[in-house]
Amino acid sequence: MHQAKARRGGDAPTAGASLHPGLRVWVDWILRRPRVFLVALVLLAALPGLLSMPPLDRDESRFAQASHQMLESGDLIAIKFQHEPRNKKPAGIHWLQSAAVWVTGQSDAHEIWAYRLPSLAGAILAVLVTFSIGQGLFGRRQGLLAAALLGGCIVVAVEAVNAKTDAMLLFGVVLAQLGLARAWIARDESAPPGILTCLCFWGGLGLGILIKGPLAPMVLGLTLLILCLSTRRWRWLGALRPLYGLPLMVLIAAPWYIAITLQDQSFLMRAANEDLIPKLLQGVESHGQPPGFYLGVQLVALWPAAIFTIPALIAAWQARRKVPGLAFVLAWLIPSWLVFELTPTKLPHYTLPTYPALTLMVAWAVFAGSDWLTGRTAKAFAVLTILGGTAIAVGIVWLPLAFEAEAAVGPGVVAALLVLAATYVSGALVWRGRPLPALAWGTPMVALVMAWGMSLYVPKLSFLWISPRLADAYAEYKAPDAPPLASVGYHEPSLVFLTDTDTALLSAGEAARYLAEKPKALVAVTEREKEAFLKDSAALGVTPLVKTELSGINYSKGRRDIITLYGRSP
């Protein structure tokens, strides 16, 4: 047992000694029930937001609306947003969302929370599997800390309440990495790992392909390639049993690809030409960023683990030949991270499949007692943490005051105080050379901040939520047999999701004709399109009647919108 712990880089005997005695009872309880604690942590961070946050633009509402239309049409193969094919991503997440909505009885409701359930499940499962990986590579405490740092960080909480692919993709990647890690750990043992290793690797890979195409194979393939090149050994891959596992992966991923290709023979070529290749060549949809972007993003997205990612990376690189688990983690992290940094199109969550490797690395460094986590580098990040927390707290209070969102002021003050408590105490502990207490304090505090912020603060920033307010106004003023809402200049997917699949997204002239032909219609028009709409309506002999007016920030386009809802004058 002692040799096994040494080979993994086992628990440092001094790690627990730095904890306050009053915390040891809680630590012992958590160590006896790690999975209960981890599930509770993710639920604390994400569940309030899942129930409270309005539908987000643009990706979440596009995914949710496409899943809603699957249920409406009964067509589980073609993916559509209104009448436009949306076959850029596989159908896996749409199937899961449709199943969640059907099971919860929300098929006819415009309730986004039901569509978010697969993302919440994906986040929870990814955290639990990260614990298993860490336990196998380094030890129980390291695995628990790594999983907690992942489950309590900002980006996982956000993706767990976002009805998109990323949280479930994360689960697919870490499940496959669990199989690969078990094969790696057992490479020098006489008895090969059991069938579960094969099922995890190929099942996770198949799930990843069905959720988001080539991303999971890229991460797994690079990990596998670096491990084999660094050791010049390939035979240990036989533990993955490709003769049994490859058919499993094909059984999971291939049926939809075959079905959509039979339905639309140009699908694969179009998906590559319109979605994948442009992202590799240039920044699309204004998402181009220079290399180094993700290094800055993780300082916020992965906090508090981000305080130690760079010092832990230095320590892990130095010890990689002594601790086999570090070789695995670095093979997972470095090549995929470089690919993401070099790809022109960047969004903050794209590097999420590498975050478990970061938290595993940090957890190892904490329990190994690395000097890099208590030296000048760590103190510099402690100062950065305090300065960043102060700036974020000021911004939280300023935002509702600047945009006259009075209902958010009180919750914003509480959120700001929580941020200050999290960052100041963690920063002070890091400065004093106590990384484990800093993480033990910061992780649940982040979860608490996310729970409070996504349930009681952000939803009350009314200027952000144009679509919910416009949908409420439409429901208030529409006649019982009125046609679907028409919208001019404001074409966000959340408006379609909250109103009707047939919501008409029109130009000013088309909307004027719509109102002329349908006397009971309601038309929403932005300030920029107002003059053209009124002019075209007058030319058709129609007098639009103002029902209501609202204003807010269209955060998808980064601009203020004033929208007027018109009916037709009798």
Side-chain angles (χ1 to χ4, degrees), residues 183-238:
W184 171 254
I185 293 168
R187 69 193 183 283
D188 293 324
E189 297 177 2
S190 57
I195 190 65
L196 185 61
T197 296
C198 166
L199 295 177
C200 287
F201 180 80
W202 295 104
L205 195 55
L207 176 63
I209 294 171
L210 187 59
I211 294 295
K212 208 169 182 177
L215 192 56
M218 182 204 80
V219 175
L220 271 295
L222 287 173
T223 305
L224 188 153
L225 179 64
I226 296 300
L227 289 173
C228 291
L229 289 177
S230 64
T231 59
R232 299 180 181 179
R233 295 171 59 185
W234 301 83
R235 289 188 176 182
W236 62 275
L237 294 177

Side-chain angles (χ1 to χ4, degrees), residues 358-381:
L358 282 169
T359 63
L360 287 163
M361 185 178 67
V362 169
W364 166 83
V366 168
F367 281 97
S370 172
D371 292 339
W372 285 100
L373 273 63
T374 56
R376 292 181 180 179
T377 305
K379 288 184 177 181
F381 279 96

Side-chain angles (χ1 to χ4, degrees), residues 237-306:
L237 294 177
L240 299 176
R241 305 185 188 187
L243 291 179
Y244 299 99
L246 192 59
L248 173 65
M249 182 192 75
V250 171
L251 183 64
I252 294 172
W256 179 80
Y257 284 93
I258 295 171
I260 192 64
T261 302
L262 292 174
Q263 191 179 96
D264 179 1
Q265 296 182 0
S266 64
F267 158 71
L268 291 175
M269 185 65 68
R270 191 169 62 251
N273 291 336
E274 296 179 5
D275 188 55
L276 178 61
I277 295 175
K279 290 180 179 179
L280 298 176
L281 299 178
Q282 61 185 349
V284 299
E285 297 181 359
S286 302
H287 296 319
Q289 298 291 344
F293 171 77
Y294 290 123
L295 188 62
V297 166
Q298 64 92 29
L299 292 176
V300 176
L302 194 57
W303 198 90

Side-chain angles (χ1 to χ4, degrees), residues 35-48:
R35 292 174 178 83
V36 174
F37 167 74
L38 292 171
V39 171
L41 180 67
V42 178
L43 290 177
L44 170 62
L47 188 58

